Amino acid sequence: MKTRNIAGQIMGQLEAFEGSKAAMDTAQLLIVRGRSRNRIKPEDLGPKITQILKDLKARQLDMYSDETADIITIMDEQIRSQVEIPGETDIYGIYRLKESFENMNCHADYGMGLLDDIAIFIVLWKDKSGMGPMFVELVVSALEG
């Protein structure tokens, strides 16, 4: 499946494949979490995401665009079809993600890309102390069934 191949390439590039775990794995959506062996400076988290999307030849999306909001809504629907989540879809919750990590004393960055009909959402975060690994959360979604 294309979502698994894309996720494998990204986790491999981040040296986060070993020990990574699928949080959700369906025909249309794959969510993977892992720890990276890469030592990346906090100011390089965003550029690293950009480089990963470029290497995949994915088009990086503006996180505040209508297109991105539509894709986030589709991803949310895919997740809600598998697990019960109370409340309405909050597409703006994703924009508060970085602030949430920073409140937990972490550096964080995220980005989204589109490769044909596959949406890719990457989140990287690490402790502000500089100690410990960098964590990766990756959502790869087939937007068309």
Side-chain angles (χ1 to χ4, degrees):
M1 173 173 287
K2 198 170 183 181
T3 55
R4 287 190 181 120
N5 290 338
I6 291 169
Q9 288 177 43
I10 294 169
M11 296 304 275
Q13 188 172 351
L14 288 167
E15 295 184 38
F17 195 82
E18 186 178 322
S20 64
K21 295 185 182 186
M24 183 175 287
D25 186 358
T26 71
Q28 290 188 301
L29 184 83
L30 178 60
I31 301 174
V32 181
R33 294 180 179 137
R35 285 185 295 202
S36 174
R37 293 182 178 166
N38 287 351
R39 296 290 178 214
I40 298 175
K41 295 177 184 175
E43 61 271 15
D44 293 333
L45 295 175
K48 182 65 174 178
I49 293 168
T50 297
Q51 185 62 49
I52 289 167
L53 294 172
K54 183 178 178 181
D55 291 348
L56 288 170
K57 296 182 177 31
R59 178 172 56 94
Q60 187 160 5
L61 302 176
D62 175 356
M63 288 304 297
Y64 298 98
S65 71
D66 289 339
E67 179 182 24
T68 299
D70 291 344
I71 291 170
I72 291 169
T73 300
I74 292 168
M75 289 175 157
D76 185 69
E77 289 170 2
Q78 291 172 339
I79 293 168
R80 288 173 184 268
S81 73
Q82 299 297 312
V83 293
E84 187 173 327
I85 299 173
E88 297 293 317
T89 299
D90 178 13
I91 62 166
Y92 300 106
I94 205 142
Y95 305 126
R96 293 187 297 272
L97 181 66
K98 189 172 180 177
E99 183 179 314
S100 296
F101 277 117
E102 288 170 351
N103 288 338
M104 294 187 307
N105 204 34
C106 293
H107 294 287
D109 216 331
Y110 55 82
M112 183 170 281
L114 195 58
L115 179 61
D116 300 322
D117 64 341
I118 305 289
I120 304 160
F121 180 64
I122 305 169
V123 182
L124 302 177
W125 76 94
K126 62 187 295 176
D127 191 274
K128 283 186 177 178
S129 71
M131 301 298 291
M134 176 177 69
F135 294 93
V136 179
E137 183 147 348
L138 174 63
V139 181
V140 184
S141 171
L143 300 177
E144 296 179 13

